[in-house]
Amino acid sequence: MTAIPPGRSRRTALVTASCALAVTGAMVLLGCGGDDPDAGTNGVGKLPAAKIQAKTRAAADAASAVRLSGTVVTSGRTYRLDMQLKADGGTGSVTSEGATFKLLRIGRELYLKADADFWNHADGTPADGSDGTTGKLDGKYVKVPQGDPAYKKFSGFTDKDVLLDGLLTLHGTLATEGHHAEAGTRTIRITGDEGSGGTLDVSLQGTPYPLRLVRAGHAGTLVFSDWGKNFTVREPARSDTVDYGKQLPTS
């Protein structure tokens, strides 16, 4: 075997060590990803804001169910919502001006449940039930006639497509506003007119669902969760239901 000159051996060792350090350095840089905030995500954070909005709307429309909670301000009135929604129904609670009522929709059948104070506020009759009306409605599900103004007013709160179409809209020029987090989930935030037209946080993990919406003009903030998580809506028992008649009192 031919002997390797000592000088050459040292040079070879130095070159090998240098290459190892160079490879290690590259691996460190690649491992950090240059602190790439989109590393390991669904990739929507790298898209233009308009494409992110299109993808999150498509994801929301395709989802079988969703839960939303928060506030919506409309016509000068603030509604606090906690609703579960899917294509064929919805259930949850709505609070407005100190009165809380429950809504339940199965197909086209809409039920409303509230206490006497709500009905008193709606039609001005005594909350103690002395008129024979509000006392009967207190704490019972009332089937809302489809021709009644209250049906149109309240059914939208239980309709996934109608509610999301009205809410998931940013106004003005769209732009991205950095990476954030919502309930532990990494998000990309898109804005309308630098935030004055609303902001929307979109999930960077899995399906790009909308997770948090701040509406334009201080019109409320909503959090979305349980995307695609099914739930059951059942018609209330007859003992828990009252037939008010052809028209309900409205607030």
Side-chain angles (χ1 to χ4, degrees), residues 154-217:
F154 295 129
S155 63
F157 288 126
T158 67
D159 191 312
K160 173 180 174 285
D161 292 337
V162 170
L163 199 56
L164 293 184
D165 282 346
L167 293 175
L168 292 179
T169 301
L170 299 178
H171 302 279
T173 303
L174 298 180
T176 56
E177 193 187 66
H179 293 69
H180 300 266
E182 176 61 34
T185 299
R186 298 161 69 186
T187 66
I188 181 70
R189 180 171 297 170
I190 57 177
T191 67
D193 279 349
E194 298 182 344
S196 63
T199 69
L200 182 65
D201 281 36
V202 178
S203 176
L204 285 174
Q205 298 173 214
T207 305
Y209 290 124
L211 298 184
R212 185 175 185 268
L213 170 71
V214 178
R215 301 182 72 206

